[in-house]
Amino acid sequence: PNRLILYAIAAIVLIRIITIFVMGPMPQDAYYYLYSQHPSLSYFDHPPAIAFLLRFFTWVVGSNVIAIKLADSVLTIGTIFLFYKLALSFYPKAKAIQSTILLLSTLMVSILSLVSTPDTPLIFFWTLSLITLHSAIFLNKKIFWILSGIAMGLAFDSKYTAVFLPFGMLLFLVLSASNRKYLATIWPWLSGLVMIAVSSPVIIWNIQNNFASFAFQGSQRIGQMSAFAINPKFFFGLVGHQLALLMPILFVSLFYGLYQLIKKHQTKLRKLPLNDLFLLSFFLPIFLLFLFLSPVYWVKINWMMPAYVSGILWVSCYFNQRWFRCQFIISVVIHLAL
């Protein structure tokens, strides 16, 4: 079985490498390449990280499709290594490897590594933020509070979804009796200030442009929900594209894990193991927010991606070998078909 899994990993990686050289530009590639040709502190639609990523790779490799695909692939490889590093903070080596393979089996990684979107740098810096926050809180290394602020700021420079990072940090500290003491110190607040400082290019651009981007991504989207008309197609659409994004076994296992969590702990969430509480603090807020919004608003396929960094890590403890094997067989079949 282990050899079959290695063959499966090799097949998926090979498919992705081939795709880099044969896949033409996607609309998103062209759109964000246009960003990179006009450097700015930020942009109307999104922050600037994806623009600077593509700018660097097209400067090194040349202005061509391969350069754009390599930019996405190289940064996603970095995300996978960071995810493995994060997994080692929670599991023994064998389990950390299995968790990383689960991440590799998803279409989410394929999209991040082959199509230019702000999610590619977002997921990289999101994962880095979780590593630094874990080190700051669990290992009591004060320098990592500063590093976490830098990582969270770079995540915000990638996409506005990064606001859930400081929210998750505070949620964990509030719910964790043994770590609540940090709220009475300067460190989490200093981390937040560093995040704001690193995010200053986006903030300055919005000040200079009448907060156009913040309004477009915030108040205007909220205004679109004001009608509050329930549309079942939106909900089933979300379920459908998330089943495809994670593969059915992994996506359904998230609900199974939540069911087991509620069954075991019921309302006593504060008595959760600290590792579970940490991972859930960065998974549940985004996951549940968009899940509950989906009956009244069209949630795009990539909006829930950051939640899955800690979500996959958390739910992997429920995976037995049979589930694991099924997940990978489905993944290989779908990747070959695509």
Side-chain angles (χ1 to χ4, degrees), residues 92-158:
K93 184 177 180 179
K95 192 68 175 178
I97 291 172
Q98 179 176 301
S99 301
T100 307
I101 292 173
L102 282 176
L103 175 70
L104 275 168
S105 72
T106 64
L107 277 180
M108 180 175 83
V109 171
S110 301
I111 293 171
L112 291 173
S113 62
L114 294 173
V115 183
S116 295
T117 70
D119 298 284
T120 300
L122 169 67
I123 303 301
F124 177 86
F125 290 118
W126 184 285
T127 311
L128 182 61
S129 298
L130 296 188
I131 292 173
T132 53
L133 284 170
H134 185 273
S135 297
I137 296 169
F138 287 85
L139 303 181
N140 196 26
K141 294 183 177 180
K142 294 181 173 56
I143 186 62
F144 280 92
W145 288 108
I146 308 298
L147 296 177
S148 68
I150 295 172
M152 289 190 294
L154 291 172
F156 190 82
D157 289 337
S158 304

Side-chain angles (χ1 to χ4, degrees), residues 188-245:
W189 312 109
L190 182 60
S191 178
L193 289 175
V194 172
M195 177 185 178
I196 293 172
V198 176
S199 304
S200 60
V202 180
I203 297 170
I204 291 170
W205 186 94
N206 273 275
I207 292 173
Q208 293 174 342
N209 292 275
N210 300 313
F211 299 95
S213 185
F214 287 164
F216 173 67
Q217 295 290 356
S219 59
Q220 289 185 27
R221 291 192 186 276
I222 293 173
Q224 293 172 11
M225 302 179 202
S226 59
F228 199 78
I230 294 178
N231 189 336
K233 290 182 180 179
F234 289 170
F235 173 76
F236 290 111
L238 175 136
V239 172
H241 60 55
Q242 296 306 301
L243 281 168
L245 188 69

Side-chain angles (χ1 to χ4, degrees), residues 9 30 43 53-54 72 92 115 135 140 144 161-162 208 216 240-241 244 252 265 272 279 303 307 318 333:
I9 294 171
Y43 301 86
L53 174 68
L54 297 183
D72 304 320
V115 183
S135 297
N140 196 26
F144 280 92
T161 318
Q208 293 174 342
F216 173 67
H241 60 55
V252 172
H265 297 280
L272 278 174
L279 293 173
W303 288 2
Y318 293 100
V333 170

Side-chain angles (χ1 to χ4, degrees), residues 11-307:
I12 291 176
V13 171
L14 181 61
I15 290 167
R16 287 170 181 157
I17 292 173
I18 293 172
T19 306
I20 290 174
F21 292 95
V22 302
M23 186 179 184
M26 300 290 285
Q28 294 90 338
D29 296 326
Y31 182 56
Y32 296 113
Y33 172 76
L34 186 62
Y35 271 32
S36 71
Q37 299 307 296
H38 301 275
S40 176
L41 292 176
S42 192
Y43 301 86
F44 174 75
D45 197 7
H46 288 293
I50 185 62
F52 286 100
L53 174 68
L54 297 183
R55 180 81 175 190
F56 174 77
F57 271 84
T58 52
W59 173 68
V60 173
V61 182
S63 293
N64 52 65
V65 177
I66 292 176
I68 295 171
K69 300 298 183 187
L70 281 176
D72 304 320
S73 297
V74 169
L75 200 64
T76 303
I77 289 170
T79 299
I80 292 164
F81 278 105
L82 289 177
F83 183 90
Y84 175 65
K85 173 71 174 175
L86 180 63
L88 287 173
S89 301
F90 296 90
Y91 299 121
K93 184 177 180 179
K95 192 68 175 178
I97 291 172
Q98 179 176 301
S99 301
T100 307
I101 292 173
L102 282 176
L103 175 70
L104 275 168
S105 72
T106 64
L107 277 180
M108 180 175 83
V109 171
S110 301
I111 293 171
L112 291 173
S113 62
L114 294 173
V115 183
S116 295
T117 70
D119 298 284
T120 300
L122 169 67
I123 303 301
F124 177 86
F125 290 118
W126 184 285
T127 311
L128 182 61
S129 298
L130 296 188
I131 292 173
T132 53
L133 284 170
H134 185 273
S135 297
I137 296 169
F138 287 85
L139 303 181
N140 196 26
K141 294 183 177 180
K142 294 181 173 56
I143 186 62
F144 280 92
W145 288 108
I146 308 298
L147 296 177
S148 68
I150 295 172
M152 289 190 294
L154 291 172
F156 190 82
D157 289 337
S158 304
K159 199 171 182 179
Y160 297 136
T161 318
V163 297
F164 284 95
L165 283 167
F167 176 81
M169 174 187 70
L170 293 175
L171 179 64
F172 172 74
L173 294 178
V174 167
L175 294 179
S176 171
S178 60
N179 292 293
R180 204 172 298 138
K181 60 187 178 184
Y182 284 115
L183 292 172
T185 70
I186 192 176
W187 297 108
W189 312 109
L190 182 60
S191 178
L193 289 175
V194 172
M195 177 185 178
I196 293 172
V198 176
S199 304
S200 60
V202 180
I203 297 170
I204 291 170
W205 186 94
N206 273 275
I207 292 173
Q208 293 174 342
N209 292 275
N210 300 313
F211 299 95
S213 185
F214 287 164
F216 173 67
Q217 295 290 356
S219 59
Q220 289 185 27
R221 291 192 186 276
I222 293 173
Q224 293 172 11
M225 302 179 202
S226 59
F228 199 78
I230 294 178
N231 189 336
K233 290 182 180 179
F234 289 170
F235 173 76
F236 290 111
L238 175 136
V239 172
H241 60 55
Q242 296 306 301
L243 281 168
L245 188 69
L246 291 187
M247 305 295 166
I249 300 292
L250 185 53
F251 183 68
V252 172
S253 70
L254 292 172
F255 292 94
Y256 174 79
L258 290 174
Y259 166 74
Q260 291 294 332
L261 182 77
I262 295 170
K263 181 181 176 181
K264 184 176 181 180
H265 297 280
Q266 296 181 0
T267 58
K268 300 177 181 177
L269 289 179
R270 294 185 181 185
K271 294 187 178 181
L272 278 174
L274 285 180
N275 282 341
D276 286 0
L277 183 59
F278 181 86
L279 293 173
L280 289 169
S281 294
F282 297 94
F283 164 60
L284 284 180
I286 302 178
F287 184 75
L288 293 181
L289 172 65
F290 290 130
L291 188 66
F292 290 142
L293 277 179
S294 63
V296 298
Y297 191 82
W298 177 247
V299 176
K300 294 183 180 179
I301 189 172
N302 57 335
W303 288 2
M304 297 171 83
M305 280 185 180

